[in-house]
Amino acid sequence: MTKIIKIDKENIDEALIIEMSHIIKNNGTVVFPTETVYGLGANALSDVAVAKIFAAKGRPSDNPLIVHVSNIEQLDKIVEIIPVKAKILMDKFWPGPLTLLFKKKAIISDLITGGLDTVAVRMPSSRIALKLIEACDLPLAGPSANISGKPSPTTAEHVIKDLDGRVDAIIDGGDCEFGMESTVIDVLNETPMILRPGSITLEAIAQTINTVIYDPAMIHDTLIAKSPGQKYIHYAPKGEVYLYIGVPSDIIDAINQATARFINESKKVMILGTEENIMAYKEGIIFNLGSRTNPMEISSNLFSMLRKADELKADIILAEGIDEEGLGVAIMNRLRKASGGRIINCGELI
Ligand code: TXA
Ligand code: MG
């Protein structure tokens, strides 16, 4: 049985936090809200507890977990050293949605890291998350709280849909502020590299440490990604997702033509369009992702809308691509994965 409790982030009930921390200390699993997406938490120092995370999610064992800390003492206990560049980034972005790789100490088991000698760590800014970690007095392993392959959960309803009956408890802390996962960065090599684009943009990081690049595998499918999670099909609803990229006016025409064709084949079609173009779509179930000038709005809507596709039993999801800069890089990374390679180039602007 999964215990589901509500905690108001503006008025946190300490007794409930303590109750949840007891579950974690007893090697149980507790889903907790963060500012990015919901996390499936367990004691990062216990293999028994960590194994329950992999089982609940159906996650491949070679895909390592992020460890969440609430203070630097916890970090010192699990990593060998804090490189200068990591310190600079932590000072600027912690607590918040930036995950950094460190050389792990032996206390972090291979189960968490999928056999790698690095461990990915972040300090979330969500007050509920911080209070829970503090009450446990332990680092918490916490992948996104979805069944492996599904879009990450940004509301407690999403979590309940995926994990009710599979975890010990779920803390309902309301909607996640960002709705997009943290950025994963590796600063252990000469040139810092973003392994997974996320809520903190490359542009914001570059203001702090100058040189930073994306993992080339993000752009070239033939290369092997340094972040094991990047190689899996992910964020995918049950229906087929088609991603349209290029000139917006050509995208509109192509989506309208495809919609007519699929409807003709008796398929249920959902369109994920941007606010600027939404009036130009003629048929299908039309959803407004948000404005092209406000990628934060699009990123906070995206996972909810991909999940809506399943609720509505859409056979086909036609999504408008956006500019791949700033937060647009993370949004397009998730849409590309959701599409499983069904990407249609429209016009020349690519
Ligand atoms: O915002 C977030 O990061 C959320 C919240 C709950 O904190 N967590 C999250 O975790 O998205 P997860 O497990 O769904 O994604 C972790 C990503 C995966 O792509 C994984 O491969 C990568 O981080 N990762 C973890 N440890 C790594 C390591 N040592 N080296 C390279 N990539 C790593
Ligand atoms: Mg995930």
Side-chain angles (χ1 to χ4, degrees), residues 36 39 59 63-64 66 68 118 120 122 143-144 181-182 196 227 229:
T36 57
R59 181 167 173 123
N63 192 2
I66 292 177
H68 298 71
T118 54
R122 85 178 186 98
S144 51
E181 301 95 337
S182 64
R196 177 181 71 176
S227 172

Side-chain angles (χ1 to χ4, degrees), residues 37-38 57 59 63 142-153 181 196 234-235:
V37 299
Y38 275 79
K57 278 185 66 98
R59 181 167 173 123
N63 192 2
S144 51
N146 50 280
I147 293 283
S148 222
K150 291 263 156 227
S152 298
E181 301 95 337
R196 177 181 71 176
H234 206 333
Y235 311 103

Side-chain angles (χ1 to χ4, degrees), residues 17 19 46 50 52 56 76 101 117 123 133 159 162 187-188 195 205-206 230 247 249 264 272 275 293 302:
I17 295 280
E19 187 186 335
S46 156
V50 171
K52 288 181 185 168
D76 285 333
L101 298 197
D117 61 358
M123 187 188 289
I133 304 166
V159 177
D162 278 16
V187 295
L188 300 174
L195 307 186
I205 292 168
Q230 291 285 313
V247 182
S249 58
N264 200 30
L272 296 180
E275 186 163 321
T293 62
L302 182 64

Side-chain angles (χ1 to χ4, degrees), residues 72-89:
I72 300 301
E73 290 71 48
Q74 288 170 351
L75 180 69
D76 285 333
K77 282 188 192 145
I78 60 174
V79 308
E80 288 290 350
I81 53 159
I82 300 176
V84 176
K85 279 178 191 152
K87 176 81 173 67
I88 295 170
L89 291 173

Side-chain angles (χ1 to χ4, degrees), residues 160-297:
I160 292 166
K161 193 134 211 177
D162 278 16
L163 297 179
D164 194 11
R166 304 176 73 92
V167 292
D168 295 313
I170 296 171
I171 301 175
D172 176 350
D175 294 358
C176 299
E177 181 192 337
F178 286 89
M180 168 66 67
E181 301 95 337
S182 64
T183 301
V184 178
I185 188 167
D186 180 356
V187 295
L188 300 174
N189 298 311
E190 196 49 35
T191 309
M193 201 185 263
I194 291 178
L195 307 186
R196 177 181 71 176
S199 283
I200 305 270
T201 63
L202 175 135
E203 290 82 350
I205 292 168
Q207 282 180 12
T208 318
I209 54 167
N210 288 321
T211 321
V212 51
I213 59 169
Y214 288 115
D215 180 353
M218 264 175 55
I219 301 141
H220 305 286
D221 286 346
T222 46
L223 298 175
I224 293 171
K226 295 208 168 45
S227 172
Q230 291 285 313
K231 70 174 180 275
Y232 295 106
I233 290 191
H234 206 333
Y235 311 103
K238 292 199 184 82
E240 291 179 356
V241 177
Y242 292 79
L243 175 60
Y244 289 77
I245 56 179
V247 182
S249 58
D250 290 341
I251 291 178
I252 294 168
D253 289 345
I255 288 184
N256 274 330
Q257 280 169 28
T259 306
R261 198 174 65 242
F262 283 123
I263 287 179
N264 200 30
E265 292 168 8
S266 304
K267 299 262 171 62
K268 191 164 191 180
V269 179
M270 175 173 172
I271 296 175
L272 296 180
T274 57
E275 186 163 321
E276 286 77 2
N277 300 333
I278 212 79
M279 300 304 285
Y281 296 114
K282 302 195 172 82
E283 304 169 274
I285 312 166
I286 302 161
F287 277 85
N288 180 356
L289 276 170
S291 169
R292 284 176 173 266
T293 62
N294 186 1
M296 179 79 195
E297 183 185 16

